[in-house]
């Protein structure tokens, strides 16, 4: 190993490498490369943690894994393979989540530094906070296609992972998905929702039936007539869920197809106002599906890779029938084990992917939207940016070079480095920053006295929503405790059962009103801050405005004419950024939610988030960049980055997600 060979490392570095203890978080594409580099460099005490298991799709770039390892723990197999390079290394693996309470501040303090090789924002935020609390260096990394990034995070020296706002996740109004799709992605989201309605975890916000409450359809009588005609003797409307209807019809493919792609479309056509300025959809007949794509017919004869063929609608119908048959059997098998069990959509499950691909293309055909290949739909459904093995290897190499500098206490030399897909004007592919980016003084995570402002409707937001959506999902806390400053009233407690009676109360009912200051603490993350509450009326149901806003400064909530905040260079690529709303995921990593009004207003133009929550490859995240190196400035309505130096025209690598608007300065 390198550290054992005289002359490769200086004596100081060699001793530091041998004496260090390293934590690697993530054993995917980057994690495997990092572990290999650490072992070959001579690091002798390593721990690696990953909750994921090996999938066939990992084998083309995660070279510590082989076909016989599919289904096994990534962390365990990575350790096993790495030990074949150097059996003398001590490697401890954990098949677990880094956010588990077992891995607290004391655990992190055991290490010389931490290396992140993660794929999701929630875990990155958590590790960021734990390393800040433990005051140990964190080397953050990520790749997306041919782009990549490595940066050092050190308390008091550099900006942390949460110093700058992240890119907003793409959202779509619920009525667009259900009534008036206009893009392939609308049909793909609809198809994934349909999967959950039939076989997955049922979510009322993912209803796929025509939305009679669509504000744009106001004035139509179709919805009213339907309700009146379905009334029972008591005058109530008896509704049957999509799943119950399908089960009652034994998941008959023809009946399902007729309901979804003929009857529901005919009903949409009766909503006349929707089609005054749009091309109306065309219902399909199961017995006469068009077979008009060359080389792709109902009878076979297709050539080329299956995933990259353009299916005809006839073939989509056949694939739909076959996938429904397979999924219904799998679903029934789940239900025999537990009545509450269900299937989970996975892009790598053949039947699940076939179902979404066929349904999305059939719906696209109905609405005159360009159809996509199965390969394209898979990429869009999982929000996948293809992972490149060489990109992972290059970034992992830079990560370990940063580790050497950390061990030598040359932290100022650990400038952020960006891997570019093309040479810049200086013929550089690996482009370093000129200096370390200082912490954002208004960051609500790493500032000396962290503060934040919450703008929400205190008359309509409940305490439970404050805990789950704002603090846990929006601010990535694990076990928050909330007290009203100056009053000593405990509103939320991490102790189970202590404040459950507050859950359904509105904020104003427990004393949280406009101007209230909350003391918020998360003992698991050793993180605390003050949150100033600003009352803000809840937007109308059909508004694009967020239900609430989290920002680092209450001044950011003032009207634009009063808000004279200046740009400050504090992004991770040396650029300056203005305040912009940012969303963050309120649900689990495997579930997409829609923002729905808390009141009973009948008009529900919801915004549906579409992100890569179901994708678990550790080396995939989103890269946002500005193509113009001499941008004049930033727009106040969206995140823009302005170059402050020709060398810094690089990319920021980030992951996905969320429904909470967030902003920092």
């Amino acid at each position: 190993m390198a550290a054992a060979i005289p002359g490769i490392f200086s004596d100081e570095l060699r001793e530091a490498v041998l004496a260090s203890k390293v934590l690697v978080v993530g054993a995917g594409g980057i994690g495997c490369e990092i572990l290999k580099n650490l072992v070959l460099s001579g690091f002798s005490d390593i721990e690696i943690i990953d909750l994921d298991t090996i999938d066939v799709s990992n084998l083309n770039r995660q070279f510590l894994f082989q076909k016989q390892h599919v289904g096994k723990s990534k962390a365990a197999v990575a350790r096993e393979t790495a030990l074949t390079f150097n059996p003398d290394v001590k490697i401890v693996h954990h098949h677990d989540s880094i956010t588990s309470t077992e891995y607290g501040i004391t655990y992190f303090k055991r290490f010389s530094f931490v290396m992140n090789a993660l794929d999701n924002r929630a875990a990155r935020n958590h590790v960021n906070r734990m390393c800040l609390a433990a005051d140990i260096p964190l080397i953050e990394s990520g790749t997306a296609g041919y782009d990549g990034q490595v940066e050092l995070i050190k308390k008091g020296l550099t900006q942390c992972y949460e110093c700058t706002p992240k890119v907003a996740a793409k959202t779509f109004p619920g009525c667009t998905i259900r009534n008036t799709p206009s893009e392939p992605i609308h049909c793909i989201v609809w198809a994934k929702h349909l999967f959950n309605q039939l076989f997955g975890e049922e979510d009322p916000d993912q209803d796929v039936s025509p939305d009679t409450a669509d504000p744009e359809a106001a004035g139509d009588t179709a919805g009213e007539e339907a309700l009146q005609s379905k009334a029972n003797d008591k005058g109530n409307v008896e509704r049957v869920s999509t799943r119950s209807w399908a089960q009652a019809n034994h998941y008959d493919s023809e009946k399902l197809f007729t309901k979804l792609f003929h009857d529901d479309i005919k009903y949409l056509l009766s909503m006349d106002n929707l089609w005054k300025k749009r091309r109306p959809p065309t219902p399909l007949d199961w017995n006469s599906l068009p077979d008009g794509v060359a080389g792709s017919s109902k009878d076979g004869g297709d050539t080329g890779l299956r995933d990259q063929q353009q299916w005809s609608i006839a073939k989509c119908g056949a694939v739909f029938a076959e996938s429904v048959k397979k999924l219904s059997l799998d679903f029934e098998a789940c239900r025999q084990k537990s009545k509450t069990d269900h299937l989970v959509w996975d892009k790598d499950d053949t039947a699940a992917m076939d179902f979404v691909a066929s349904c999305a293309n059939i719906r696209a055909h109905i609405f005159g939207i360009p159809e996509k290949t199965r390969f394209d739909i898979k990429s869009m459904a999982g929000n996948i940016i293809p992972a490149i093995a060489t990109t992972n290897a290059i970034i992992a190499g830079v990560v370990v070079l940063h580790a050497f500098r950390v061990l030598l206490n040359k932290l100022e030399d650990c400038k952020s480095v960006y891997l570019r897909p093309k040479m810049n004007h200086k013929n550089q592919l690996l482009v370093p920053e000129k200096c370390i980016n200082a912490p954002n003084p208004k960051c609500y995570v790493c500032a000396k006295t962290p503060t934040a402002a919450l703008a929400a409707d205190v008359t309509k937001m409940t305490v439970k929503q404050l805990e789950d959506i704002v603090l846990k999902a929006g601010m990535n806390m694990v076990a928050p405790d909330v007290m009203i400053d100056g009053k000593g009233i405990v509103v939320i407690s991490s102790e189970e059962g202590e404040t459950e009676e507050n859950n359904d109360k509105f904020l104003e009912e427990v004393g949280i009103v406009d101007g209230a200051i909350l003391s918020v603490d998360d003992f698991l993350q050793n993180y605390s801050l003050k949150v100033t509450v600003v009352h803000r009326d809840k937007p109308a149901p059909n508004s694009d405005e967020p239900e609430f806003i989290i920002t680092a400064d209450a001044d950011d909530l003032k009207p634009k004419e009063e808000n004279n905040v200046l740009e400050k260079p504090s992004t991770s690529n040396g650029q300056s950024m203005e305040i912009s709303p940012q969303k963050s995921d309120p649900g689990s990593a495997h579930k997409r939610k829609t923002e729905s009004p808390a009141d009973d207003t009948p008009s529900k133009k919801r915004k549906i988030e579409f992100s890569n929550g179901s994708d678990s490859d550790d080396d995939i995240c989103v890269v946002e960049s500005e193509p113009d190196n001499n941008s004049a400035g930033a727009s106040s309505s969206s995140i823009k980055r302005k170059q402050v130096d020709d060398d810094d025209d690089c990319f920021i690598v980030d992951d996905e997600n969320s429904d909470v608007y967030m902003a920092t300065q």
Side-chain angles (χ1 to χ4, degrees):
M1 301 305 104
I5 302 175
I8 294 183
F9 294 155
S10 66
D11 291 342
E12 181 184 5
L13 178 57
R14 183 174 62 83
E15 292 174 4
V17 166
L18 293 174
S20 65
K21 184 177 179 66
V22 184
L23 173 63
V24 180
V25 186
I30 299 176
C32 283
E33 294 288 342
I34 287 176
L35 183 61
K36 177 256 296 181
N37 290 345
L38 291 174
V39 169
L40 295 179
S41 296
F43 288 85
S44 57
D45 193 352
I46 305 167
E47 290 195 24
I48 187 166
I49 181 169
D50 197 309
L51 182 60
D52 205 3
T53 55
I54 300 165
D55 187 82
V56 174
S57 63
N58 302 144
L59 303 183
N60 72 331
R61 62 192 179 279
Q62 299 174 16
F63 299 126
L64 298 185
F65 309 143
Q66 298 178 14
K67 188 175 181 180
Q68 65 267 26
H69 298 140
V70 171
K72 296 182 179 179
S73 163
K74 284 187 175 182
V77 175
R79 171 190 177 275
E80 177 186 321
T81 306
L83 285 174
T84 63
F85 303 151
N86 184 359
D88 297 327
V89 178
K90 176 187 175 184
I91 304 177
V92 178
H93 79 277
H94 305 278
H95 181 64
D96 204 352
S97 170
I98 192 61
T99 61
S100 170
T101 55
E102 296 178 28
Y103 310 105
I105 305 298
T106 303
Y107 175 79
F108 276 81
K109 284 184 175 180
R110 294 162 46 191
F111 301 99
S112 306
F113 55 85
V114 176
M115 295 173 160
N116 253 1
L118 289 163
D119 71 332
N120 69 89
R121 183 175 302 166
R124 281 175 166 166
N125 286 345
H126 181 77
V127 175
N128 174 63
R129 295 180 188 185
M130 299 303 285
C131 289
L132 290 172
D135 197 14
I136 59 171
L138 168 63
I139 304 174
E140 177 65 65
S141 62
T143 67
Y146 292 102
D147 301 299
Q149 168 191 316
V150 179
E151 63 180 336
L152 171 70
I153 296 172
K154 181 66 171 71
K155 183 177 181 180
L157 176 66
T158 72
Q159 64 180 16
C160 77
Y161 181 72
E162 297 174 78
C163 272
T164 56
K166 306 307 181 211
V167 181
K170 180 66 174 175
T171 62
F172 308 102
C175 53
T176 298
I177 300 300
R178 295 168 62 180
N179 292 356
T180 55
S182 59
E183 302 175 20
I185 190 64
H186 297 159
C187 300
I188 294 170
V189 173
W190 180 89
K192 293 188 71 176
H193 287 182
L194 176 60
F195 176 92
N196 284 337
Q197 291 294 307
L198 292 175
F199 313 109
E201 182 178 4
E202 288 185 285
D203 184 343
D205 286 338
Q206 294 185 355
D207 193 0
V208 296
S209 302
D211 186 2
T212 57
D214 188 340
E216 196 176 347
D220 282 332
T221 59
E224 295 178 7
E225 291 174 357
L227 293 178
Q228 292 172 3
S229 63
K230 299 292 184 179
N232 60 19
D233 294 338
K234 296 181 180 180
N236 297 324
V237 177
E238 296 180 350
R239 296 185 180 277
V240 179
S241 70
T242 304
R243 177 176 299 174
S244 297
W245 184 90
Q247 289 174 326
N249 287 278
H250 308 291
Y251 284 100
D252 183 279
S253 299
E254 182 176 349
K255 291 181 179 179
L256 271 174
F257 185 97
T258 301
K259 179 193 182 302
L260 296 168
F261 304 116
H262 182 273
D263 296 348
D264 283 356
I265 303 304
K266 294 276 283 185
Y267 184 82
L268 279 175
L269 287 172
S270 71
M271 301 167 74
D272 300 330
N273 286 351
L274 294 179
W275 317 114
K276 289 180 178 179
K277 297 181 180 180
R278 293 186 181 90
R279 172 197 178 278
T282 305
L284 288 176
D285 184 346
W286 172 259
N287 295 312
S288 57
L289 298 179
D291 189 10
V293 178
S296 180
S297 69
K298 195 173 182 179
D299 299 324
D302 297 320
T303 58
L305 296 174
R306 177 177 182 266
D307 273 14
Q308 297 182 21
Q309 298 167 2
Q310 187 65 62
W311 292 348
S312 69
I313 298 304
K315 180 163 185 176
C316 286
V319 172
F320 170 81
E322 187 63 30
S323 60
V324 167
K325 180 180 179 181
K326 174 68 167 59
L327 292 170
S328 62
L329 292 175
D330 292 344
F331 180 65
E332 290 305 318
C334 284
R335 283 305 176 98
Q336 288 178 3
K337 297 178 183 177
S338 171
K339 291 184 178 180
T340 60
D341 205 356
H342 55 78
L343 302 182
V344 176
W345 187 82
D346 184 347
K347 71 183 189 309
D348 295 315
D349 180 273
T350 301
M353 190 61 239
D354 281 349
F355 178 85
V356 167
S358 58
C359 287
N361 270 340
I362 293 169
R363 188 166 174 87
H365 177 84
I366 288 171
F367 285 89
I369 300 169
E371 297 151 37
K372 296 289 184 178
T373 66
R374 185 183 188 277
F375 177 84
D376 291 335
I377 293 173
K378 182 176 182 179
S379 296
M380 296 171 75
N383 198 19
I384 301 169
I385 298 175
I388 310 297
T390 48
T391 307
N392 293 336
I394 293 169
I395 289 300
V398 177
V399 167
V400 176
L401 291 177
H402 268 45
F404 293 156
R405 297 186 183 98
V406 169
L407 291 176
L408 294 174
N409 201 30
K410 296 181 178 180
L411 301 182
E412 294 285 351
D413 293 337
C414 292
K415 303 175 181 68
S416 297
V417 176
Y418 305 91
L419 177 62
R420 299 171 55 86
K422 295 180 181 179
M423 295 280 190
N424 69 355
H425 64 287
K426 292 188 175 181
N427 293 325
Q428 293 176 311
L429 280 178
L430 281 171
V431 185
E433 298 244 15
K434 280 198 167 183
C435 60
I436 294 287
N437 287 313
N440 179 357
K442 292 190 175 180
C443 176
Y444 61 74
V445 174
C446 69
K448 290 184 179 179
T449 307
T451 61
L454 167 66
D457 193 330
V458 297
T459 66
K460 294 181 179 178
M461 175 176 282
T462 65
V463 173
K464 186 63 174 174
Q465 288 174 321
L466 173 65
E467 179 181 3
D468 291 345
I469 302 177
V470 178
L471 300 179
K472 290 184 176 180
M475 301 183 76
N476 288 285
M477 293 187 176
V478 177
D481 292 285
V482 179
M483 179 185 296
I484 301 177
D485 217 29
K487 295 184 178 180
I489 300 174
V490 177
V491 178
I492 297 173
S493 174
S494 57
E495 294 292 332
E496 187 175 354
E498 190 170 311
T499 56
E500 284 184 359
E501 68 276 6
N502 291 337
N503 285 351
D504 296 328
K505 294 180 180 179
F506 295 117
L507 298 187
E508 68 172 3
E509 293 182 270
V510 295
I512 301 177
V513 295
D514 183 51
I517 298 177
L518 307 179
S519 294
V520 185
D521 177 75
D522 188 332
F523 77 95
L524 291 178
Q525 296 181 334
N526 194 27
Y527 171 49
S528 62
L529 79 162
K530 301 285 187 181
V531 177
T532 301
V533 178
V534 179
H535 174 73
R536 170 178 176 271
D537 289 338
K538 186 176 180 180
N542 60 347
S543 171
D544 289 334
E545 289 294 314
E547 188 171 336
F548 55 89
I549 299 173
I550 304 170
T551 178
D553 191 342
D555 288 341
D556 298 342
L557 301 174
K558 293 180 180 179
K560 290 183 180 179
E561 59 269 21
E562 299 178 19
N563 191 1
N564 298 317
V565 181
L566 298 176
E567 292 184 20
K568 294 185 180 180
S570 63
T571 68
S572 59
N573 64 343
Q575 301 162 328
S576 53
M577 182 179 295
E578 287 189 355
I579 294 168
S580 175
Q582 168 60 37
K583 293 194 153 188
S584 87
D585 189 7
S588 69
H590 299 283
K591 185 176 177 182
R592 294 176 176 79
K593 287 285 188 180
T594 60
E595 296 181 25
S596 57
D599 58 18
D600 296 322
T601 308
S603 177
K604 300 180 180 178
K605 193 164 185 176
R606 295 181 294 271
K607 290 169 70 179
I608 297 176
E609 178 181 320
F610 183 68
S611 63
N612 66 333
S614 62
D615 185 29
S616 59
D617 286 344
D618 297 297
D619 49 357
I620 293 176
C621 45
V622 177
V623 176
E624 291 293 325
S625 65
E626 280 294 311
D628 184 2
N629 295 342
N630 297 307
S631 173
S635 165
S636 61
S637 62
S638 62
I639 295 177
K640 295 288 183 182
R641 298 181 173 85
K642 181 173 70 178
Q643 307 303 334
V644 297
D645 191 281
D646 288 340
D647 291 340
D648 298 330
D649 50 346
C650 311
F651 294 83
I652 291 181
V653 179
D654 186 39
D655 55 352
E656 59 69 275
N657 299 197
S658 67
D659 327 275
V660 179
Y661 276 67
M662 309 183 70
T664 58
Q665 179 184 349

